[in-house]
């Protein structure tokens, strides 16, 4: 029986990427998906459709079995309730500071409901600015209305 | 001595808004700021410049003392480490699932650093979509590079 | 300015219900909704449409202002991360024991996605059984597929 | 002495299932039990009667020793107080939002007591719906009345 | 509308007991129940049948409304995950040290299942002993077998 | 130098017991101690006197070194503040619900003090009952009075 | 009915002490007990015998009812799992750093058991020292051996 | 490169001590230090001066490299915020119950400040007592006054 | 008896400061202490010597009783284990990121010991910088060497 | 594929440093950076520019691959929310006690904003003092003003 795990696949992807001097943008372009989704799926936070999994495995020279594992629905786990890495913490802080505001404005614009984190996409871009370039993060999620029955 | 607190001002704003049938979009337009920032400052998560505080107090018919309190630098507190409200939790979940991806792409595009949550702005819009309208959230924060010394 | 809060409305509902000797089933029937949703909205865990809020306020003899508050989108808060009440804990335990099973079967039947807790309904019934009557809980939520982009 | 553990058996089941291209529904049918219970017992969250353990071991071609381990009473452990996986979290959220409602209605229909999570069964089905198929989860647990002595 | 709460009733019971110089044993005897159950129901951790609630209210000279509240199904809450009071902590410690042993012996004597904490009773007695008197605690709960389906 | 640890001894005991088809009751009888204490000491939650350690090691055919380790004073550790296993959780729940009652009755019967969890013994028995057999747990601990100085 | 609580008595003691310019040493001497025990009982962490409660109430000019409350067995609660006050934290730190050492030496000197925190006394003294005076804390607790049965 | 770690040294000390049948008192006498400090440093909670490290390594027949590691300044870590072992927990309990008392008496005897846990020593002795021998723990720490500037 | 508490004094100071349009720098200068210490003592995180307490009370026009309370040794409490306010969190983050570095360099420069947080002072200054002004924080604490005995 | 990790590099640095008898000051001087930054980057809490990574690898005789890993942007993780090591805890305590003061003075000197922990540097020095040498820690971070939009 095989012992290859999802963690093995992630490690193989990272090593192959480092050795080949690739970028996430480049890998994403190769398989025809966005960089955000590509990184996320490579790290085991999203499942890949079969063709994308095969394309990734081929591009990085991984064993075929890896393509099967990349298609499985991963259990999404994060171990730090409050992230310590400063780059990630800042997003946690934004949710803490602006979470009630996001809620109030979604309710004002749509009614009683939420933004889906499942039917969701996101991208990150660099915006030039004379006072210092800026990170732009755009999220888009389907509005879901609460049911009343 | 006066006993008016920041919490009193928030409560007065909410009551005045409900009684006058206003929206956050409308209030924001009245004081010439964005809805996100206006709600956030009204809730005590941001400090208001003097002219905006005065404009808000005038628009809602609050006592002048409220304008002073709105200008003070608030201590930003959130009591739930993990928010329970579903609308806010989804944003926490996005940070958990996509946090490492945001970090990887920021590093790829900018170098070793972070997106500021202080020199930061955000807006929320409704995007029509035949499969169901979508919530669009755009964040923009200044890139800050780690110092080496 | 008024000082009536959502908590006040909940307390008024509970008192009126006790004094009139009503049941949740009866109240739900009066306003034409299910008992689960009716109790949940009365407790401040769901927002009421205007007609239902008015019907409830009329049925229980509450002040008209309560109808406005019942229509506001409530912030859903639970204070005990792990509930202590034995009746509620058992459901937490079911999620702990059977959560991975629910995930595996949803993935097997639908693909990579989740059951919505927003586009969702639930009902509780009593099932007679010679070995002891049973509680039947039926949940139904829309399947949401993860997006790939 | 043997070193086979319950975790080994779980891993062997998952690998055999993947290599043979089986489904939980199919495995469950083979051993004559429900898919929910079969997955749960295979994952080490329920003990198997001897005949079911033997049937499973035979069907998947596992060593006989695995059948003994599948019959042992497992210690049920979940490591995340609040589950992070979105598919499982939604059920946690339902308990948070609707837990007090479930309690109130059980008390109204039965008296002072709880729904057992031990004398309990559950099933998951796919319900077609033109607005999007729905996940249906049905739970049934014996009502247990509090003792007074 | 009345504002009497379950906490009010508990406070009235404690005050009446102190002023009348009663004991829990005595109160329990008066209403014909055990001391453990009587104290527990008086503290809001169990609901009282109507006749017992009336008997208690009469014995202590409380208002009739208290009898209604004593019959409601209380939400059982404890605020300290790990109790600090040394007398209570020792029981928590016993569960920590001997919990796996209780589980192993219940499984050995009964099969895969648990001792119910709902269909349950307990009593406390003083046992004379020349080396120092001992506290004897006897618990009895119905065995519940896990269901397989 | 030897590398045998207390965990190794526990694992050897469990394997030997399974392979020999023994029960805890039987092992306890063999070494002339109670089942509760025998299981607890075998699991590393109590230290064994030399003669009992030797008797256990002989009965199960373990290496002599194991007898030395069984005599060492173990550090008692439990990793889950709130146990998740349903069989153990029910005892935690009993402490939460009835802890204040145990305290009140101990104080009423003995004075200001506690029941020792050190000078302590416990046994578990099966009690036949036409409505379903019951688990009986009897605890006995020395009363310890608070010192005043 | 009276509404005086244990917290009221503590507050009255502190105020009376401040207004009369007393010290804990002085109060302790007046009632013939140690300063440690006197402060602890005054703060609601120990119960007072009747004569000491009367002596304290008389010395500070408190109402007689306070003497009854001082004799009740208090529930000992501390709200900060890890104390923040630096003076108290240092003792927590000592338990963290030297706890395993205390355990090892108690076992070496006495056998398998513990130092009681109930049959316990403690005193604090100032020791002059040319390099800076030192705080001396002496604890004495009865050794309790684990039971084997 | 060497792979010996501080944990290796601790394990070697424990094994050598067990095999040679030594006590902490005996080891401490051999190296001319107190038993408390000797155990603490051997367990990696204190750093050893070079001569003491050499003496310990020689006495127990450990490799010379161990002496270097014993001199390094260890990071003091304890993993259980609230210790579960009953022998250690009792000291945690003492800090919880008597912490405010220690603070009040230190302030009364010295002024606003603390007892140092760094310039600190402790010893444990057995005190014979006809009612049962007692554990005596004596702590001495330098008084440190808060600075005002 | 008086009911003035330390929290009352803090509130009075803040109100008087706001109404008089004072700054912490100005208040500190008035009483002849540093701004850091002055703010800290005013907030109840340090005790004031009698002359400074009197000076503060006089300068702000507070009642004389406040001066007594300002001299008491406060219990230092912070309620958020991890601070949420971004300005304070950044300092927590610095301790997380650079804590091991501070430890390593203190050990390299001084030996095995710590920097005191009691015999400690700190100041904050603004440093002009063409790329953006900088906050400078200087801390100074007495080195304390671990004792060996 | 290579299996060298960032943890391997850290371990190699520590071993090489110990074997060569180097200090952090010395290593920092060799690569022309500060000791604080050098230790931090060596421990995996900061990324190194290519020339510094090469200089470090050369100075310590590490494999070239290590230089690549030292340039990667590390995920900054600390596992103890509240550090237990006394040397690090004291800095946590300073943030707890003086955090609100730092916030108040930054706001007074700069306006509504924070000190950056990213555009940040720090150094540690030993200051001789007849009453005992002192640790001086100087932090400097860019002031960042909150945005209003």
């Amino acid at each position: 029986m095989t012992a290859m795990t999802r963690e093995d696949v992630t490690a193989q992807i990272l090593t192959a990427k480092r050795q080949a001097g690739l970028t996430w943008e480049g890998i994403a372009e190769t398989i025809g998906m966005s960089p955000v989704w590509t990184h996320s799926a490579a790290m085991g936070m999203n499942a890949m459709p079969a063709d994308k999994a095969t394309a990734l495995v081929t591009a990085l020279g991984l064993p075929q079995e890896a393509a099967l594992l990349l298609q499985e629905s991963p259990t999404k786990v994060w171990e730090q309730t409050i992230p310590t890495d400063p780059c990630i913490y800042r997003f946690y802080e934004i949710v803490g500071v602006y979470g009630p505001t996001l809620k109030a404005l979604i309710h004002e614009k749509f009614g009683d409901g939420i933004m889906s984190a499942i039917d969701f996409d996101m991208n990150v871009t660099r915006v030039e600015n004379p006072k210092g370039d800026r990170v732009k993060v755009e999220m888009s999620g389907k509005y879901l209305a609460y049911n009343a029955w």
Side-chain angles (χ1 to χ4, degrees), chain A residues 1-13 41-44 62-63 65-72 74:
Chain A
M1 293 176 179
T2 177
M4 184 181 281
T5 65
R6 205 42 154 70
E7 285 72 33
D8 294 333
V9 179
T10 296
Q12 289 174 10
I13 291 173
M43 293 300 100
L62 306 183
E65 186 179 1
L68 291 175
L69 284 155
L70 285 166
Q71 297 173 54
E72 294 194 348

Side-chain angles (χ1 to χ4, degrees), chain A residues 101-123:
Chain A
T101 294
L102 288 164
K103 177 181 170 70
L105 294 182
I106 288 172
H107 292 328
E108 188 164 303
K109 289 175 193 293
F110 293 86
D112 193 32
I114 69 164
M115 180 186 86
S116 178
I118 307 297
D119 188 341
F120 172 81
D121 61 79
M122 177 165 61
N123 69 316

Side-chain angles (χ1 to χ4, degrees), chain A residues 50-110:
Chain A
D51 58 335
K52 300 304 179 188
T54 301
L56 183 67
V57 160
T58 304
L60 297 179
L62 306 183
Q64 283 304 311
E65 186 179 1
L68 291 175
L69 284 155
L70 285 166
Q71 297 173 54
E72 294 194 348
S73 183
T75 297
K76 304 182 181 190
V77 175
W78 51 95
E79 295 189 0
Q80 292 192 300
T81 301
I82 299 177
T84 53
D85 185 83
C87 188
I88 303 177
Y89 179 83
R90 296 308 181 270
F91 290 96
Y92 172 79
E93 188 174 280
I94 289 165
V95 173
V97 173
Y98 294 102
T101 294
L102 288 164
K103 177 181 170 70
L105 294 182
I106 288 172
H107 292 328
E108 188 164 303
K109 289 175 193 293
F110 293 86

Side-chain angles (χ1 to χ4, degrees), chain A residues 6 10-11 13-14 24 37-46 70 74:
Chain A
R6 205 42 154 70
T10 296
I13 291 173
L14 287 172
W24 293 111
W37 183 86
T38 302
H39 178 275
S40 175
M43 293 300 100
M45 280 299 202
N46 269 307
L70 285 166

